[in-house]
């Protein structure tokens, strides 16, 4: 088991370029594999999750050619040549690893094929509910079987001639929406998904990029079947969910400043910026590209953070950032409430239970609710030995928490970080041990907020 340690941060690097966006990398590989011809994907995220999607598309007949590797990160540029929407039956069951996006979206694609595929994943993925995709895809005509009531993996997906549906999502999920829309490409007529609240729209934007017509009317997204994606090169922006770890580290450090370069700024993903602004952080973004997937630089200046309420329609927009926002809440003044986020319980681990337990181990008072938690900010954090629960975002969030704790924080099970952030350890090291061009952290920042406040009040008096 890999162990990573964190300690009081020494410096905030002037800039960091995070690796490619996970959601867009998955979808780029899938669309490229469904298109006739060659698509070059640049800025690809070579994390274990996304590589599962590439291997799955390869097993289904796509030809993959590596074009560029970055040391310590992996394959960031590749060419995928597809042969159109009719894929080849794989010779063995397809491994989806830890990846909910792979298994759910590929189930949509496989529903329109004329063969049967077995999909499996690791222990965590095998506990996650697949009924949410099995139900609508079965309504479209596919035969999907899985384990138990929640229809967990291993799954079998037997495709057939699909029929279009009009489907109201019972939970706000971009993965379910995307699985249905991808299946909709194989169904003659109009397939419509109704979203209870808007979710990330990368599938829709990639539809446009690959020449597929779709439409949004109020809360409905529709696509017409019988269209085929057209191979088109794509540049993936950096992942704002990965940048969020460093945004919080800088926001909670007075006098610090960091620039996160080339980050995806799709408004369905920038909720983390809005929450940090509400907490009193100084965050600005400068868009450098607005077409397709908008991207640009995010600049964060450190200061004092205040508590906030995170809930309602903004939850899908910050769903992956809630673990690190919970850490921000622990570093803020006052009590933060996270609600309407019961979806966190069915992620790679139960993220409400995992965050609450790890924060408590560091000395924070947390009250757990079925759909969220209340976090008492401002306590003095102390280092602890913490489990990752096999969940990449829990692991990274608590290594950042360790930067604000007295003593050492030992994170066990750190290997899961490769699920979404190859190169994380190298970036963490810039904060813990300093790097070129960073802002060194003055001694004051090591003093817990309440004491620092007293000192500055005395100073003023
Ligand atoms: C994702 C959607 C979200 C998110 C996941 C990636 C996607 O999941 O948590 O990390 O790429 O569509 P849900 O659709 O289950 O909310």
């Amino acid at each position: 088991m890999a162990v990573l340690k964190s300690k009081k941060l020494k410096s905030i690097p002037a800039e960091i370029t995070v690796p490619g966006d996970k959601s867009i990398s998955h979808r780029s590989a899938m669309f490229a594999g469904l298109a006739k011809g060659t698509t070059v994907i640049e800025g690809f995220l070579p994390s274990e999750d996304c590589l599962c999607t590439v291997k799955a598309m390869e097993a289904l007949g796509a030809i993959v050619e590596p074009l560029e590797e970055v040391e310590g990160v992996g394959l960031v540029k590749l060419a995928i040549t597809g042969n159109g929407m009719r894929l080849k039956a794989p010779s063995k069951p397809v491994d989806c690893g830890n990846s909910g996006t792979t298994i759910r979206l590929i189930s949509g694609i496989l529903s329109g094929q004329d063969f049967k595929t077995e999909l499996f994943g690791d222990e965590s993925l095998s506990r996650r509910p697949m009924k949410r995709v099995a139900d609508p895809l079965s309504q479209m005509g596919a035969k999907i079987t899985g384990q138990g009531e929640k229809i967990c993996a291993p799954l079998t997906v037997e495709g057939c001639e699909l029929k279009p549906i009009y489907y109201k999502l019972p939970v706000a999920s971009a993965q379910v929406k995307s699985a249905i829309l991808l299946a909709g490409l194989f169904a003659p007529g109009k397939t419509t998904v109704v979203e209870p609240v808007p979710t990330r729209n990368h599938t829709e934007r990639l539809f446009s990029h690959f020449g597929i017509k779709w439409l949004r009317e109020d809360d409905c997204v529709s696509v017409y079947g019988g269209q085929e994606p057209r191979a088109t090169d794509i540049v993936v922006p950096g992942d704002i969910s990965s940048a969020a770890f460093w945004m919080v580290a800088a926001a909670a450090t007075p006098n610090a400043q960091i620039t996160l370069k080339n980050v995806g700024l799709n408004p369905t993903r920038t909720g983390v910026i809005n929450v940090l602004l509400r907490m009193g952080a100084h965050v600005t973004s400068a868009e450098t590209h607005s077409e397709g997937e908008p991207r640009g630089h995010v600049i964060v200046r450190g200061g004092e953070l205040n508590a906030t309420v995170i809930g309602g329609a903004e939850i899908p927009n910050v769903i992956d950032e809630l673990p690190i926002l919970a850490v921000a809440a622990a570093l803020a003044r006052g009590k933060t409430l996270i609600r309407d986020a019961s979806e966190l319980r069915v992620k790679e681990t139960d993220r409400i239970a995992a965050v609450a337990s790890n924060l408590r181990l560091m000395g924070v008072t947390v009250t757990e609710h079925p759909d969220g938690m209340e976090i008492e900010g401002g306590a003095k954090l102390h280092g602890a030995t913490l489990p990752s629960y096999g969940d990449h975002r829990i692991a990274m969030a608590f290594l950042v928490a360790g930067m604000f704790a007295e003593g050492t924080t030992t994170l066990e099970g750190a290997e899961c970080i490769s699920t979404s952030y190859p190169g994380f350890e190298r970036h963490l090291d810039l904060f813990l041990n300093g790097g070129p061009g960073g802002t060194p952290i003055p001694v004051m920042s090591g003093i817990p907020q309440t004491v620092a406040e007293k000192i500055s009040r005395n100073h003023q008096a």
Side-chain angles (χ1 to χ4, degrees), residues 36-381:
K36 229 178 228 142
T38 301
T39 297
V40 173
I41 309 172
E42 218 175 302
F44 181 78
L45 171 68
S47 72
E48 277 174 16
D49 259 26
C50 297
L51 291 173
C52 273
T53 291
V54 171
K55 283 185 202 139
M57 293 313 293
E58 206 169 21
L60 291 163
I63 296 164
V64 179
E65 191 193 341
L67 295 179
E68 189 187 332
E69 295 247 357
V70 168
E71 204 195 321
V73 178
L75 181 64
V76 295
K77 188 171 173 185
L78 68 165
I80 298 184
T81 305
N83 193 28
M85 303 274 283
R86 297 285 155 211
L87 302 174
K88 176 191 107 189
S91 57
K92 54 180 200 255
V94 172
D95 185 357
C96 300
N98 187 249
S99 174
T101 310
T102 309
I103 198 166
R104 292 193 175 120
L105 270 60
I106 279 204
S107 293
I109 295 172
L110 292 173
S111 293
Q113 305 300 323
D114 58 2
F115 52 81
K116 184 169 165 179
T117 312
E118 218 176 297
L119 300 170
F120 69 100
D122 68 7
E123 218 186 298
S124 151
L125 188 63
S126 309
R127 280 195 304 267
R128 298 179 65 185
M130 296 302 142
K131 185 168 160 36
R132 51 182 60 194
V133 283
D135 280 352
L137 296 175
S138 303
Q139 280 182 31
M140 295 178 84
K143 286 196 193 76
I144 302 191
T145 61
Q147 319 303 307
E149 240 174 70
K150 292 192 290 176
I151 322 230
C152 293
L155 299 181
T156 58
V157 182
E158 191 176 344
C160 66
E161 294 291 323
L162 298 179
K163 49 180 183 293
I165 53 169
Y166 178 92
Y167 191 78
K168 281 190 181 176
L169 291 180
V171 282
S173 163
Q175 290 179 354
V176 180
K177 172 179 69 175
S178 303
I180 300 168
L181 292 176
L182 284 166
L185 292 178
F186 298 89
K190 184 181 182 184
T191 290
T192 298
V193 180
V194 186
E195 296 193 281
V197 291
T199 63
R200 62 189 71 191
N201 62 7
H202 304 303
T203 298
E204 297 91 307
R205 284 177 188 253
L206 278 178
F207 273 163
S208 303
H209 187 79
F210 280 82
I212 289 173
K213 292 191 186 69
W214 61 281
L215 58 145
R216 174 170 272 281
E217 297 153 298
D218 301 323
D219 50 356
C220 297
V221 188
S222 307
V223 71
Y224 285 93
Q227 305 183 71
E228 193 163 91
R230 200 183 46 219
T232 324
D233 296 350
I234 182 152
V235 181
V236 179
D239 198 326
I240 193 165
S241 301
S242 299
F245 298 107
W246 315 128
M247 285 163 65
V248 168
T253 305
N255 305 319
Q257 177 163 324
I258 193 166
T259 302
L260 285 318
K261 298 194 80 180
N262 188 34
V263 175
L265 293 173
N266 178 325
T268 62
R269 293 285 299 285
T270 48
V272 60
I273 296 180
N274 301 335
V275 173
L276 286 174
L277 284 171
R278 248 180 10 241
M279 294 179 85
H282 306 273
V283 189
T284 50
S285 60
E287 214 171 85
T288 52
H289 290 81
S290 53
E291 272 163 34
E293 287 287 353
R295 72 198 68 191
H297 307 315
V298 177
I299 300 156
V300 182
R301 272 191 296 119
E304 242 186 44
L305 297 178
N306 295 309
T308 188
V309 178
I310 310 173
E314 81 179 327
I315 289 296
N317 199 317
V318 292
I319 192 75
D320 291 338
E321 291 72 70
L322 287 173
I324 188 61
L325 284 172
V327 170
L331 301 171
R333 197 204 307 247
K335 192 195 280 181
T336 289
L337 174 61
I338 299 175
R339 63 180 184 216
D340 309 315
S342 52
E343 272 296 295
L344 284 180
R345 297 219 181 259
V346 291
K347 292 294 174 190
E348 285 81 333
T349 188
D350 175 343
R351 286 186 178 159
I352 295 177
V355 164
S357 169
N358 279 357
L359 281 179
R360 285 188 194 118
L361 286 170
M362 299 185 88
V364 182
T365 302
V366 184
T367 311
E368 228 187 274
H369 297 295
D371 68 341
M373 63 194 116
E374 268 164 53
I375 300 159
E376 304 272 356
K380 185 172 171 178
L381 301 193

